[in-house]
Amino acid sequence: MKEMLQYGLTLMIICAMATGLLAGVNSFTKSEIIARAQAEQDASLKEVMPEATNFAAVETNGEVIYYKAYKNDALLGAAFKTTAKGYSSEIETMVGMTKDGQIAAIKVLSQNETPGLGSRVAEPSFTGQFANKSLEGLNEISAITGATISSTAVMNSVKTKAEEIFNLIKNGK
Amino acid sequence: MKKLFHEFLKGIIKENPTFVLALGLCPTLAVSISLMNGLGMGVAATFVLICSNIIIAMIKNTIPEKIRIPCYIVVIATFVTITELIMKAYSPALNRALGIYVPLIVVNCIVLGRAEAYASKNSVMNSLFDGIGMGVGFTLALLLISGIREFLGAGKLFGYTLIKGFEPAFVLAMPPGALLVIGLLLGFFNILKERK
Amino acid sequence: MENKLTVSVSPHLHKNESVSKIMWLVGLSLLPSGIAGVLIFGTSALRVILLGIVSALFTEGILQILTKRKITIFDGSAFLTGLLLAYNLPAHVPFWIPIVGSGFAIAIGKQVFGGLGQNIFNPALVGRAFLMASWPRYIATFTTPLSYDAMTSATQDAVTSATPLALLKEGKILEHVSYLDLFLGRRGGCIGEVCIIALLIGAAFLLLRGYISWHIPGTYVLTVAVFTYIFAGENGLFTGDGIFHILSGGLILGAFFMATDYVSSPLTQKGQILFGIGCGLLTAIIRIWGGYPEGVSYAILMMNAATPIIDRFTKRRIYGK
């Protein structure tokens, strides 16, 4: 019994010290981590809507649905994230769309597809094709040779989500 | 001083954690796609290894024999979490590239292995140099593997294309490539050992 | 089949020439298919074959010098590996593809394990799998046979086309490819796999001379035919085209010349039958439901890995034990 208490106390002291140390480091890095995530978000928003000057998040139940992009208070369009199930991973894409339903640009935020084949969906030769395409025009995009699954996954996810967001904007939501 | 230097040196060649002790192969296989990943993983693991070795050598006499493993794990996990927080704050890109393998340093058998086999029996100074040596040995092994894989699998080193027109062999950037490169290097180091 | 068993009193001497002789004879039996390949795809096919063989011999020699072992580049085994690898490539690959492939096949597929007789996998298929995973766009791009050009237009440039199996995978109907076309090799594909009749001549030679037995190729081909007949049809079960699946892809080349490799296939007849059925099932499953149109090489590699365990369970019991 005495032994048990001794073990428990020793572990408790070590854990308490570890917790204290972690709390210290956390308070020190927390603001930096949040700032980094915000900066990255802003950079990718800026990349898909280069002409916009500021963005406003549109939220439902605390979840960001999309971002409205403004240029000096005039509504330019929207930017939103979409995910697709690719060949071997989830492909997350940021899409910029003008208010009349044209894709401005897309950017692949994260993917883990086959290197050299599916991973080429992140390259400008593929993502560049989306620029200035209307929603119907998205069907004309040519898939990467040897990586049809990854390419169509991105194309379909962009198209479905863009249609959804376009309807939201049209209805003034 | 000479003895301390010896503690440092043994981790690099004679008891190299990857090629001789064959410890911690899981992160080695998974993250060695590019030199940058290899370097990041190596530095992170080295930091954890040095800190945990020092702390464990310091508290080795106060913790009872029967609960030493949970104590070691708490110490190691603390330093791993610190590493992860710092990485997230100051190098988010690297953190994303290494992904789940940063928190998994907790179960990297090099760290626990050195705590159990070395730091719990030796002085703080010796443990510090053992930690540095093992960490550097692990980092060098990772750099060797990821250098070969990045060059042959993507045609690049540290992200820079070296030879125009070189067609990289994708397979080396994929999991089978990791097994192939590590297997061949292990064989090569065994030949070196036999020659001696 | 005649009885090859020789009964003699000790000492039993191992005759090394016999292995070498078999290797060269297998090489000879592949000659008709190679000639057919060159006739069908033109001289670039010949270039691929020669580069594959030279690279295999060269790699074998260099590695044996480096490891200070007996140099055996003329025992026919490296020659055969290079030849088979080249037969598994399209005719218009860049010149370095057969060189790298053969080098990898010999170095990693064979010498790393300790040389002839020690390798777990068929070296030529190891080389092919490596090329397929590394440079898929060259290995999966096929050229139209020369005879097509003569029929359709006068262009001399190589025209890319898909293999019948690849077309099938994409859901296209194969109206212009008849069984006769497939039998004579008038289709897109790898150099050594297209001309079925030439392959069968070589296979018949090996079977009649007793260098290979019917157990692996027979069960392999039959399994693929039955399985595809049952499951590959578009209009439900039992409507598949088994004959098409036998004649297309690399099935005949794989079943008679690569699955029968002495080193990497089971020793007993029972084991060989199991091996053949396993290869057949895997090939058919990859073809029907897999990500690739063709599954022969992966099926054989997977069954190679299973060979030790098959041998263990089909070993003949020693009398009295």
Side-chain angles (χ1 to χ4, degrees), chain C residues 121-201:
Chain C
F121 300 103
N122 184 325
L125 289 176
V126 171
R128 184 189 143 87
F130 172 72
L131 293 175
M132 187 75 197
S134 293
W135 298 281
R137 93 190 124 115
Y138 294 123
I139 312 302
T141 309
F142 296 97
T143 42
T144 317
L146 290 178
S147 53
Y148 278 16
D149 290 346
M151 278 188 286
T152 52
S153 68
T155 51
Q156 285 300 304
D157 294 333
V159 183
T160 60
S161 75
T163 63
L165 281 174
L167 291 171
L168 193 72
K169 193 111 210 167
E170 285 169 17
K172 288 175 186 148
I173 306 155
L174 301 157
E175 279 169 350
H176 64 284
V177 180
S178 67
Y179 288 151
L180 187 67
D181 281 340
L182 291 173
F183 202 67
L184 296 176
R186 284 202 295 255
R187 64 170 174 96
C190 296
I191 297 169
E193 70 175 24
V194 289
C195 187
I196 303 299
I197 179 136
L199 284 167
L200 287 179
I201 292 170

Side-chain angles (χ1 to χ4, degrees), chain C residues 55-102:
Chain C
S55 166
L57 293 175
F58 181 77
T59 315
E60 176 120 325
I62 290 283
L63 283 173
Q64 283 174 336
I65 290 170
L66 282 179
T67 52
K68 302 194 182 74
R69 275 176 295 164
K70 206 175 126 207
I71 294 168
T72 58
I73 57 171
F74 294 112
D75 69 356
S77 63
F79 169 83
L80 195 60
T81 299
L83 186 72
L84 280 172
L85 179 88
Y87 276 17
N88 276 292
L89 295 173
H92 287 270
V93 290
F95 75 94
W96 49 270
I97 287 273
I99 296 178
V100 174
S102 272

Side-chain angles (χ1 to χ4, degrees), chain B residues 81-144:
Chain B
T81 314
I82 292 175
T83 314
E84 199 194 356
L85 286 174
I86 292 176
M87 213 182 249
K88 261 188 192 154
Y90 299 104
S91 181
L94 183 62
N95 185 58
R96 205 173 313 125
L98 296 179
I100 187 71
Y101 292 98
V102 178
L104 279 182
I105 296 175
V106 177
V107 286
N108 187 326
C109 22
I110 301 173
V111 185
L112 188 61
R114 290 329 281 176
E116 167 75 4
Y118 195 90
S120 64
K121 299 186 185 95
N122 288 283
S123 71
V124 177
M125 241 2 213
N126 279 354
S127 301
L128 164 69
F129 278 88
D130 178 74
I132 300 176
M134 283 291 158
V136 171
F138 180 58
T139 312
L140 287 177
L142 268 172
L143 285 179
L144 183 63

